[in-house]
Amino acid sequence: MSDLHNLSVKALATLLQTKEVSAVEVATRFLARMGGNPHNAFLDIDSEVTLAQAQASDAKLADGTAGPLEGVPVAHKDVFVTQDFATTAGSKILSGYRSPFDATVVQRLRTAGMVTLGKLNCDEFAMGSANENSAYGPVQNPWDTARVPGGSSGGSAAAVAAGLAPAATGTDTGGSIRQPASFCGITGIKPTYGRASRYGMIAYASSLDQAGPMARSAEDCALLLSAMCGADLDRDSTSLDMPSEDFSASLNSSIEGLRIGIPKEFFGEGLAADVRAAVDNALREYEKLGAKLVPISLPRTELSIPVYYIIAPAEASSNLSRFDGVKFGHRAKDYTDLVDMYKKTRAEGFGNEVKRRIMTGAYVLSHGYYDAYYLQAQKIRRMIADDFQNAFKECDLIAGPVAPSVAWKFGENANDPVADYLADIFTLPASLAGLPGMSVPAGFGAGNMPVGLQLIGNCFKEAQLLNAAHRLQQATDFHLRKPQGI
């Protein structure tokens, strides 16, 4: 079948279960499309490993021991450690590193039967909003190769949008699943903090990082999220003691009477007119489906940027201290003593954005500044979480734009990192509050570039979010549209 790369996860799983195609046939098709590494989406590909996994899936499909997603390909963001593929987190300091174990998310998707296609490019240590910070070059947006795919999970979003993988894993610290999903016209969801294990996920900001799936549709994301989530108490101290859940069970439920909160702070002067038009059209579709739009306020939305860029760098400065050239990864060749080796290794191995955030984090945690910056940021973080809980007294979920604009062109913000930071203003609040959020294709803006609608739910309301997203996708075809030539 020549169009295997255009099929959904659900469609591929059905074809494989009914033995209309083999896992090897599917894997071979995607490996052929990955040849030459279009859009610089992948950092490591090993066809022998992929085909061996596909052969194992065919054996399970033949003997009746197949998992629910047996033989369906997936690619992993390069911050999830893997035994069979190198893991670099997009950084020179981990060049060539191979983990002795798989991350829990990777392991669970393999248990469900998924076949690994390779590791995906990302901003170094997941720090960025454009995927321009990878040590291995930027990823190109399949809709316009002169534009960024979003970050930090830009490789994941580009791979799905370009038909290089039917699904991918991503991580979301401040919007790094939702924003690239929006920029590349696919669907992505960040679950409630602690729903998916962080074991084996290279840490950026431990109190914010969360894994999630990226695919074309909400239905596909529901299938992957069901496999990914579940308690991992022995290995991840931040894991929630909650059983796995079938997030696809209520996808087709009616949303008649659903109260959708519209925060006024998400629709101010900074929102581009083309993005607003697409979001407004999507909201009108919800009204046609019987949902009710409710005006709400999230008054501390603007404060989410300074709060995030104090807390996240502070945690990063601690987490990245382990990369010193002693036990693994890059080590400077010429040094005089241990301290000199530390300095030169980290200077050579880390990129500018990572160094910027490490220095910022060390500063706000230093004596004399901890109370003034870090402690105050944590207090405001609690207030932001309280704002959401007050809003959820009036609505069931919250909707608005994912980003203030469509994807920008490479280099536009090269000399202004703050401009990249400001692009996260609508995604940061939910991350700081630990809430589930997702991006759903909602139309197109300037330059025929995709626009995403953001849906935010209360804690553990992933099924409700996916239901709302699925019903919108049944009424529209934006998630089915593909870049030219795909």
Side-chain angles (χ1 to χ4, degrees):
M1 297 177 66
S2 60
D3 65 340
L4 285 174
H5 67 279
N6 282 324
L7 298 181
S8 66
V9 169
K10 177 70 177 296
L12 286 171
T14 300
L15 289 176
L16 287 158
Q17 294 286 349
T18 57
K19 301 182 179 60
E20 294 179 57
V21 296
S22 70
V24 168
E25 182 181 354
V26 174
T28 300
R29 175 61 180 163
F30 280 100
L31 287 170
R33 289 188 58 77
M34 291 157 53
N37 194 15
H39 309 292
N40 197 32
F42 282 84
L43 292 181
D44 194 22
I45 298 169
D46 190 327
S47 58
E48 291 185 6
V49 169
T50 298
L51 290 174
Q53 290 185 7
Q55 289 168 357
S57 286
D58 279 332
K60 291 182 179 180
L61 287 161
D63 66 18
T65 60
L69 297 173
E70 198 69 58
V72 178
V74 66
H76 295 293
K77 184 177 179 179
D78 199 34
V79 297
F80 293 100
V81 300
T82 45
Q83 287 182 295
D84 295 328
F85 297 86
T87 303
T88 70
S91 179
K92 288 182 180 178
I93 207 163
L94 279 175
S95 178
Y97 173 71
R98 281 187 178 264
S99 169
F101 64 93
D102 286 332
T104 295
V105 163
V106 173
Q107 178 188 352
R108 285 182 171 164
L109 291 176
R110 280 291 299 131
T111 299
M114 300 197 83
V115 172
T116 305
L117 291 172
K119 302 298 285 296
L120 293 160
N121 203 348
C122 59
D123 281 305
E124 185 178 5
F125 288 103
M127 298 181 188
S129 301
N131 221 138
E132 293 180 287
N133 295 330
S134 171
Y136 305 99
V139 176
Q140 298 171 332
N141 192 317
W143 290 90
D144 181 350
T145 56
R147 295 178 185 261
V148 303
S152 62
S153 306
S156 301
V160 174
L164 307 179
T169 55
T171 61
D172 193 309
T173 306
S176 291
I177 286 174
R178 289 162 286 163
Q179 188 243 37
S182 174
F183 282 7
C184 291
I186 66 167
T187 306
I189 181 168
K190 176 194 87 72
T192 304
Y193 179 79
R195 275 278 214 176
S197 174
R198 292 177 50 251
Y199 181 74
M201 185 171 77
I202 297 174
Y204 161 24
S206 301
S207 74
L208 294 158
D209 298 340
Q210 188 60 195
M214 304 173 76
R216 289 200 182 278
S217 69
E219 182 177 40
D220 285 353
C221 283
L223 293 171
L224 269 76
L225 194 64
S226 298
M228 290 170 62
C229 289
D232 193 20
L233 305 179
D234 293 337
R235 300 188 294 183
D236 176 12
S237 62
T238 63
S239 176
L240 295 170
D241 188 9
M242 296 184 68
S244 57
E245 182 179 342
D246 181 4
F247 293 108
S248 62
S250 58
L251 282 179
N252 292 305
S253 298
S254 171
I255 60 169
E256 182 77 32
L258 181 74
R259 299 172 301 164
I260 300 178
I262 310 299
K264 62 181 181 181
E265 293 79 7
F266 282 25
F267 293 85
E269 288 184 5
L271 181 62
D274 56 333
V275 174
R276 174 156 195 164
V279 170
D280 285 344
N281 284 336
L283 294 175
R284 281 193 287 271
E285 289 292 337
Y286 273 121
E287 288 185 304
K288 293 177 185 177
L289 292 168
K292 298 179 181 178
L293 305 185
V294 180
I296 61 167
S297 177
L298 296 172
R300 295 176 179 87
T301 294
E302 288 189 359
L303 292 176
S304 64
I305 293 177
V307 168
Y308 177 86
Y309 284 103
I310 289 173
I311 293 173
E315 295 184 13
S317 70
S318 175
N319 281 326
L320 270 62
S321 65
R322 72 194 69 177
F323 301 104
D324 54 16
V326 175
K327 292 183 178 179
F328 49 79
H330 172 75
R331 178 185 293 181
K333 291 183 178 180
D334 301 314
Y335 51 88
T336 57
D337 55 28
L338 185 62
V339 173
D340 190 44
M341 189 270 283
Y342 287 159
K343 291 179 179 179
K344 289 181 177 177
T345 294
R346 289 166 67 82
E348 294 170 5
F350 289 139
N352 289 337
E353 184 61 31
V354 173
K355 291 175 184 176
R356 184 181 294 119
R357 298 196 192 195
I358 288 173
M359 289 190 290
T360 300
Y363 178 82
V364 301
L365 291 176
S366 62
H367 179 69
Y369 297 99
Y370 179 90
D371 289 348
Y373 292 103
Y374 185 74
L375 190 59
Q376 292 302 315
Q378 290 287 17
K379 290 178 179 178
I380 299 173
R381 181 182 188 175
R382 169 49 56 193
M383 294 177 185
I384 290 171
D386 290 342
D387 287 343
F388 276 105
Q389 293 310 310
N390 289 331
F392 283 125
K393 293 175 183 177
E394 304 173 39
C395 62
D396 302 306
L397 57 83
I398 294 168
V402 174
S405 70
V406 297
W408 55 87
K409 292 187 176 181
F410 285 112
E412 280 190 14
N413 299 334
N415 298 317
D416 185 9
V418 176
D420 278 357
Y421 300 167
L422 292 172
D424 297 332
I425 188 169
F426 301 137
T427 55
L428 290 177
S431 292
L432 289 166
L435 299 173
M438 66 184 299
S439 175
V440 187
F444 297 86
N448 196 38
M449 295 302 295
V451 174
L453 173 74
Q454 181 175 203
L455 299 176
I456 301 170
N458 209 344
C459 293
F460 318 125
K461 295 294 185 180
E462 291 84 359
Q464 185 178 57
L465 285 182
L466 289 160
N467 165 225
H470 180 63
R471 294 311 301 266
L472 178 65
Q473 291 179 339
Q474 288 179 317
T476 62
D477 68 348
F478 299 125
H479 66 295
L480 299 176
R481 300 187 192 181
K482 301 175 179 65
Q484 189 174 4
I486 302 304

